[in-house]
Amino acid sequence: MPLPLYQVDAFTQEPFRGNPAAVCLLESFLDDAILGAIAREMNLSETAFVVPTAGGFQLRWFTPMAEVDLCGHATLATAHVLWQHQGVVGELAFHTRSGCLRAQRFGEWIALDFPQQPVTPLEEPQVQALISAALGTTPLYMGKAGRDLLVELASAEAVAELKPDFDPLARLPCRGLIVTARGKEGDRYDIVSRFFAPQLGIPEDAVTGSAHCSLYPYWQPKLGRQELLAYQASARGGVIKLQPQGGDRLLLLGQAVTIFAGELLL
């Protein structure tokens, strides 16, 4: 039976920018091997598989190499597809490996309720040395952010101009490396970042919603503002609004645009 399949550019309002994700609508989950094969066929940083349930939707995310625990841009893309193309109305509840994630509409923006992930200092000299070798510089700060590592560089320009060495980068014991800095003086963005995850088959991710679950608690006390506007400075670029949601939760707000809709023939 043909399966509805969409490709959506997330965290942008312009086609061919932001982070592309595939969204595949299922009645029940196929075997993991088939889900992985579909993700490899799509060859995007993430493919989302969504199944309706009595309490909302079950949602899983696959890179071309592995299933992951949390993905922001593919969740935003899924919410966009359900509202824009499937006639679903109201708040969405996604049941995932990271718990229940909710999505709401605020005008042209989609708000995702995600868990914050605090950052703690990295105190492993061998890992610090690998990071410095990969980046060609010693960061101002190196920390652990759940399964990711996070480093701060001296300027937004340093983040944008970074050309990492992927050999040491791929040997880091993490899901991915978040590289960040304050926004340029006088710029509209409070913070900038990039995200590298060669371990997952993603040399550089275009826009990484889940990384901002750590970027917010890292930068909020430094900047002294409750709401932050973030820019991920990849080649495609993307914009995320960050707002506290109470407790250890966070709202990630982004926009999305559908690039194509079709059917997967199996």
Side-chain angles (χ1 to χ4, degrees), residues 181-266:
R182 295 173 187 261
K184 295 179 185 177
E185 178 125 13
D187 200 350
R188 62 186 288 237
Y189 302 113
D190 299 301
I191 59 173
V192 300
S193 68
R194 291 171 71 186
F195 185 85
F196 304 98
Q199 298 89 332
L200 296 177
I202 308 168
E204 179 170 4
D205 196 30
V207 193
T208 316
S210 59
H212 289 76
C213 296
S214 297
L215 286 164
Y216 181 82
Y218 179 75
W219 281 111
Q220 188 279 321
K222 286 176 171 284
L223 299 178
R225 290 192 289 280
Q226 291 298 302
E227 298 185 6
L228 302 179
L229 186 62
Y231 180 70
Q232 191 151 330
S234 65
R236 292 175 64 103
V239 178
I240 305 179
K241 292 181 181 179
L242 306 172
Q243 298 176 2
Q245 180 67 351
D248 61 353
R249 308 294 294 184
L250 174 69
L251 284 185
L252 306 176
L253 292 97
Q255 297 171 294
V257 57
T258 304
I259 298 301
F260 70 73
E263 293 179 331
L264 181 65
L265 304 177
L266 291 180

Side-chain angles (χ1 to χ4, degrees), residues 16-117:
F16 315 122
R17 294 185 62 80
N19 203 353
V23 179
C24 185
L25 305 179
L26 303 171
E27 293 183 0
S28 61
F29 286 116
L30 306 173
D31 290 344
D32 286 6
I34 297 177
L35 299 181
I38 294 171
R40 289 190 294 276
E41 187 76 10
M42 297 308 298
N43 198 32
L44 299 172
S45 62
E46 300 285 351
T47 296
F49 298 95
V50 60
V51 171
T53 67
F57 298 88
Q58 288 183 294
L59 181 61
R60 297 172 69 184
W61 313 277
F62 284 74
T63 77
M65 291 182 63
E67 184 173 6
V68 298
D69 292 335
L70 185 65
C71 178
H73 83 279
T75 304
L76 187 139
T78 303
H80 170 80
V81 165
L82 292 173
W83 285 322
Q84 192 78 13
H85 302 289
Q86 295 296 311
V88 178
V89 296
E91 181 178 287
L92 302 174
F94 295 117
H95 302 283
T96 77
R97 293 169 87 174
S98 293
C100 183
L101 308 175
R102 298 186 180 276
Q104 305 172 63
R105 298 179 86 165
F106 291 98
E108 296 181 351
W109 293 79
I110 298 171
L112 305 178
D113 181 349
F114 270 34
Q116 293 190 40
Q117 177 61 66

Side-chain angles (χ1 to χ4, degrees), residues 118-138:
V119 181
T120 58
L122 175 65
E123 298 176 347
E124 301 169 38
Q126 289 183 329
V127 179
Q128 292 175 343
L130 272 178
I131 291 173
S132 295
L135 302 184
T137 186
T138 299

